[in-house]
Structure formats: structure tokens, C-alpha cells
Amino acid sequence: MTREEFLARLRRLSPLAEANPAGYRRRVWLWALLGYAGILLLLLGTVGLLLLTLAVGVFSKAFAIVFKVGAVLAVFAWKVLRSLWVKFDPPEGLPLTPAEAAPLLALLQQQTQALRAPQVHQVLLTADFNAAAVQVPRLGVLGWPRNYVVVGLPLLQSLSPVQAAAVVGHELGHLRGGHGRFGAWIYRVSQTWTQLIEQLERQSNRSLFSRFTAWYVPRFNAWSHPVRRTDEFAADAAAAQLTSPQAMAEALCATVVRDATLDRLHWNVLSASLAERPTPPSDAISRLLPLAKNSRLPAADEQILLANANEAEPDLFSTHPTLGERLAALGQAAAVPPLPATTAAEAWLGASLPALAAALDEAWVSSRAAIWQERHSLLRQQQERLRELTTQQQAGASLTADESWELADLTEDHISSTEALPLFQQLTDDARWKLPARFSVGRILLNSDNAEGLTWLAAVMEQEPNYMAPGLALQEAYYQRQGNREQVRKLGAVQLRHADTLDEAVAEREAIRPADTLLPHGLTEEELQKLRAELAVPEYAIGRAWLMRKQVQYFIQKPLYVLLVARLSTAAGSSKEAPETWVQELAAKIELPGEGFVIAIGKDFAWLERAARQQAAAEVFVA
């Protein structure tokens, strides 16, 4: 299902959910059961066929045939079971004990009882600015969940106890019982299927069950989308009932402002020290605590952050309402709350706070040390290279186009985009770098709110599809800053269509098949001579080569070539080395005039050889 099809389905279903909520929920319930029915049918059908085969074998005594059929069914049944038996990893974090967090654990106990939510098995503390209630199904898609509440120390240190209680109450609200049981169940079913698909994709497990999930999950998500969106409001209402509407609203507004504050005053400063520090600081989380409690951005910046979040356009794909929608449902106005006198972290963790922060410090360093050191080394190398190129330029030396691009790129990364702009402008007519240079000019201009950047970006996006997605994102951000909501909506529709087109383009370019139409290569004589010179490299050991072009429907300005090669029979080691190994190494070395495949002649591609021999101009090289 494409994104446009999904969105069109949402637009049809949302009015149905509003017109008849009870009837709509029954239909969503049936869709949820369909998923489990599909699993059950796969299992029972496979086992049933296996038993039937064994029975036929017993009565017919055709044991040889039955054994072969039974073996095939048994293998298939094993694959189905293996697809279903997916291990879900529990969330990471420091487990909190009653000795460390008695007030928090007592609060959770009270809230779970009030909401008739399932038991929380473990509470985890993390270094993230976030909170979540996570269910890990012990039987995979079949359920039996173990429940976790995950709370981020930076978040707890930024909120008052009542605000943090509202946040935790919202997360538990997704698991609640009573009147909200159906929405909570749909939420859990959706989360389980999402996790299952992620695991199957990670394992590249392309079984029959994978094909069922590919058909079922988008449709279930579309039907359940209005219910899950409504459940977000219901979870807010549950949290407001546990605390107050004002507390829930303050928590929502505070998270917007405080998260940005910590990014600007702590994490961005930490990132800026990468080039100077060979190892990450040992107290990154502990150092954050006083900032989270006491620091603020300028009042004008806070108001802009809150206004942007409050006035944001709803994302039809997201089940999470916008801040403005959530505040309206609570009957509260957007306002930046004052800093807490006592934070939730201080109230709930007490004397254990320093030790827990130190433990998170250690975990943070352990998880980032290797990446930090690698990044530090790279930045130092880049700075040294920037100094070399700058010295050469100032001395009047002539830089190559590649060196000029490198200088512009490093200048933007390590000095400023303002100083890099004229360096990119000098490359806008270079044969190799003109498109990335023009895009960079447009990007820098647009990020500084210069509308001239729109013209630069549009010209590049028209010529090169790879620039479409980042170009559209830059345009959307520009119009959002300008407050032009109509243009933002239009760009959203364009992004949607482009994403679907990109999916189709990737699919048609990922393989070459007998059903494909193969066209003449269309190269100029100059391009052919360059390719022939490369094919003639002795170490490649190519005897003959044919070049064709696959007919594509999307991005036709970007040809997709097919190079069919035959190896020299006299090549050293040709009898020992597998053709697959040879052609893989060849594909990594040969530079085609565009995207394409390099394929060795063989029985698997006999149809491709026939197609090549039917085109008189396809043969481009003979040793």
C-alpha cells in the first residue's frame, strides 16, 4: 500500500469513526482478530496438511512419496513457526529498586490501581528526555506481555512531581482497563505488530507469514488509526483525572521548552567539544542535572518554540495529536510553566539521585566511547585538511575542482555557511560539481531565509531526483518559518507523492528480470570509447561485453544500464574462481556511465545473452 493510498483510506475511515464510534470499534475489533486468525490458520493449516499426509501414507503404504511430501510440509511448518517465534528485546535502562525510588514506585502502584492497568513488572531509568510504558510480549505476536515503565532522568529533572506524574499517568493510560480497555488493547496490538515487522525485516525473514504481514498490517493500521489517535486523547484525560488538566497541560508545554533548552545549552555544547576532546566526558548526565532544573532560554525563544508546537499542522499519518489539539481537548491554554522549586527527580529519587546519575554517566560513556573517539579523529583530520587547503589558497596556489569542493565543504562544517557560500558559488559551473554546488548555494540561502534559495533548489531538483527529498524538506522548513501554512500543506502533498514514486523507482531498479524491456544503450561515441578503455584493463580479464539499457518508468532521465560480460578463457585462475566472485569484484571496479548491473554470462542469464545478441549495437567490447 502506497502512502497516498494509506492517506486516502484514512480520509475515508475517519468520518466513519466519528459518525458511528461503537460500530466502527466493532469493525476494528474484527480486523484485530483477523490478524490472529491469519496466524492460527497458517499454523493449523500446515499441521493439518502434515497429519493428512501421514494418514494417507499409513493407508496407501506409499511411504516414499509421503515421506517426500511430509518433509516439504514439515520444513514449511518449521518456517512458519520460526517466523512467529520472534524474540522481543526488553527496553534498556537502570532497574529502579524500592530503596532507590520508593515514591515513584508507590505512585505507579496508585496509578495502576486507579486506571485498572496491568501490573508494572519493572521501572527503568534512562538518560533520554522521554517516558514510556513498554510491553514486551513473551510469546511474540501471541502476547503474554511483561510491562515496563521507562523514565528519563533529564525529563524527571525538568518537571515538577505533579507534572511528571501526569506524564507517567499518560503512559499508563495506554494500558488502562475499564472504559478505555478497547483503545488500550488496540494500542498494544498495533505496537506488537510493529515490533514484529521490525524484527522480521532485521532478520530478512521472507516467509509466507512475512507476506501476510505486508498485506495485513497497513490495512489494520489504517482501520485502527482513528482509534489509536482517540486513545492519545483518552490517555491525556486519564492523566488529567489522576492529577489535573492543568498539570497535564503544563507537562506538555514544559517538555517542548525544556527539551530544546537542554539541546542548546548542554548537548550542542557537548557535541561542539568533539574535536577537542579525544574521549567523552565522564559526567555528561550529572552535569546536565543543574541545567535541567535551573536554566532557561530567553523568554522570546521559549515563546516561539511553544507557539510553533501549538500551531503546528496535524500530521495525518501520526496517531499523536499536535500540542494544540491536546491542549484544546484538556481545555487549557499554551503557556510556559515556571521552573520547579523541587523536581520530580529530587522528590522521587531523593538521596539516590547522585549515584543513579553517576551510573547513567558510566553507561553513557560506555555506549559512546568508540563512536566519540572515531568522530574526534575524523574531525581533527578534517581540521588539518582545512588548514592545508586554506594555506594553499591564500598562497595563490591553483586548487583542482575536487579540492575546491573539499575546501567549501570543510569550511561550512568547521567555520560557517556564510564563509562557505562564495566557495560553493565558484563551483556552480564546474562539470562535475555544479549540481551539488548549486544545491548547497540554494540550501545556505534558504536556511538564512533568503527566498532566492528556492530558485536554486528547484533547478537542481528538476535535473536530479536524488535532491528531491532533501530539497522539499528545506522548502517546507522555510515556509514553516514564514508562517505560510498553505504552502506547507502543498509541499506535504508533493513529498507524499515523491516518496511513493521513489519506492516504485527503487523497486524497478533493484533487479533485472526476463520480463524487462531492454533498449539500446544510447551512449555517445566518446562515452563508448571511455567504457571500452576500462573494459580492456588486463586484470579484469574480460573477453566480450554487451551493454544495454533497462526501460524504466520512473526517473527516465537516469538510465539504468546492464553490462553483460564473458570472461577470457585464458585468464589466470579462471577455472578455479567462481563466476559470482569474479563478477562481484568486477562490478566494484568498473565505472558505468550511470547506475547499472554487471552480470556474467551463464545459464541463469541465458535469456539476457539472447537479448544482447539480438541487438547489433549491444556488443561494445571484444578482447
Side-chain angles (χ1 to χ4, degrees), residues 234-506:
D236 279 351
Q241 185 176 4
L242 291 170
T243 54
S244 71
Q246 180 183 356
M248 187 68 233
E250 285 183 353
L252 292 171
C253 294
T255 53
V256 170
V257 177
R258 305 282 189 260
D259 192 17
T261 300
L262 290 180
D263 279 346
R264 189 181 302 182
L265 301 182
H266 182 68
W267 296 115
N268 291 351
V269 173
L270 209 60
S271 296
S273 70
L274 261 166
E276 307 304 323
R277 299 182 60 106
T279 58
S282 59
D283 60 347
I285 308 304
S286 296
R287 192 191 305 178
L288 172 149
L289 296 181
L291 291 173
K293 180 180 179 180
N294 301 315
S295 298
R296 297 187 64 167
L297 296 176
D301 290 358
E302 290 185 338
Q303 291 299 331
I304 290 172
L305 285 167
L306 193 58
N308 288 342
N310 190 46
E311 297 167 9
E313 290 287 327
D315 181 358
L316 294 177
F317 285 97
S318 176
T319 57
H320 279 74
T322 64
L323 175 65
E325 291 175 309
R326 296 174 74 175
L327 292 177
L330 291 166
Q332 300 291 311
V336 179
L339 293 174
T342 300
T343 70
E346 292 170 339
W348 293 351
L349 304 178
S352 301
L353 179 56
L356 290 170
L360 289 177
D361 284 332
E362 185 178 348
W364 189 87
V365 170
S366 176
S367 65
R368 289 164 175 79
I371 297 174
W372 182 287
Q373 291 169 5
E374 180 181 343
R375 181 66 179 160
H376 167 77
S377 177
L378 176 63
L379 290 175
R380 295 304 294 262
Q381 291 173 15
Q382 289 178 344
Q383 290 177 340
E384 179 60 32
R385 179 60 175 161
L386 176 59
R387 283 191 290 269
E388 291 176 4
L389 292 171
T390 302
T391 301
Q392 291 178 32
Q393 185 192 49
Q394 292 174 347
S398 178
L399 300 180
T400 66
D402 289 355
E403 289 173 334
S404 296
W405 170 263
E406 191 178 5
L407 175 61
D409 191 37
L410 292 173
T411 298
E412 183 176 17
D413 287 346
H414 294 275
I415 301 178
S416 72
S417 58
T418 302
E419 291 197 32
L421 180 59
L423 299 175
F424 284 123
Q425 288 172 328
Q426 293 172 10
L427 290 165
T428 52
D429 291 323
D430 180 77
R432 178 178 179 183
W433 293 106
K434 62 181 179 182
L435 286 182
R438 291 175 182 181
F439 188 83
S440 296
V441 170
R443 171 175 51 77
I444 292 172
L445 290 173
L446 208 59
N447 283 339
S448 61
D449 290 334
N450 186 333
E452 186 183 346
L454 292 169
T455 305
W456 284 89
L457 292 182
V460 177
M461 291 158 61
E462 185 177 349
Q463 295 181 59
E464 175 52 67
N466 288 338
Y467 287 107
M468 279 292 293
L472 290 170
L474 286 165
Q475 291 176 346
E476 183 181 39
Y478 167 76
Y479 284 115
Q480 282 178 336
R481 292 193 300 271
Q482 301 300 310
N484 190 336
R485 295 189 179 183
E486 180 61 27
Q487 194 62 33
V488 170
R489 280 192 288 269
K490 289 180 180 179
L491 284 169
V494 175
Q495 286 177 308
L496 193 66
R497 289 193 297 272
H498 174 70
D500 284 337
T501 300
L502 192 60
D503 287 345
E504 296 291 340
V506 169

Side-chain angles (χ1 to χ4, degrees), residues 22-36 182 185-186 189 216 220 223-224 227:
Y24 187 84
R25 284 174 178 259
R26 284 194 294 271
R27 297 176 74 173
V28 174
W29 181 77
L30 291 173
W31 267 99
L33 290 185
L34 176 62
Y36 291 102
F182 178 78
W185 178 62
I186 290 297
V189 170
Y216 168 76
F220 172 72
W223 274 95
S224 64
V227 175

Side-chain angles (χ1 to χ4, degrees), residues 122 178 338 341 436 601:
Q122 196 167 59
I601 279 182

